[in-house]
Amino acid sequence: QVQLVESGGGLVQPGGSLRLSCVASGSSISDYVMAWYRQGPGEQRVWVGMIATGGLTTNYADSVKGRFTISRDSAKNTVYLRMNSLKPEDTAVYYCKAIGSSYSVWGQGTQVTVSS
């Protein structure tokens, strides 16, 4: 059973950058598609992007393409979400998700607030 813990959220000014981390324990991230989601205030949780098990292929929602980058460090069993050019509409709780062949696991989320 894999467990996920997100960190790195906080308050940032519009146009700023932030890197979120998702540390996995109990299993290797190489065995999962790793995805990022976010849920803004009063909004549904939506998909942000993903990285394939091999770590070479990524996909992103149109709303974040060109600004967000997902990467991983297998040695640290950690997946990252680098967020650049942040906008107020990026304000949300960000969640990582491990997607396996038979089950998926969510982290608890980390708050990102983009405000001037």
Side-chain angles (χ1 to χ4, degrees), residues 36-51:
W36 286 94
Y37 289 73
R38 68 185 183 187
Q39 186 168 15
E43 303 289 333
Q44 294 188 94
R45 190 173 300 184
V46 298
W47 177 77
V48 172
M50 57 79 68
I51 186 166

Side-chain angles (χ1 to χ4, degrees), residues 19-23 29 34-36 49-52 54-60 68-74 77-83 96:
R19 188 181 74 164
L20 307 183
S21 299
C22 175
V23 180
I29 59 172
M34 300 297 296
W36 286 94
M50 57 79 68
I51 186 166
L56 299 178
T57 300
T58 55
N59 296 99
Y60 304 94
F68 289 13
T69 303
I70 300 172
S71 61
R72 76 178 196 187
D73 186 335
S74 296
N77 215 27
T78 300
V79 175
Y80 303 97
L81 179 65
R82 168 63 71 180
M83 304 181 293
C96 63

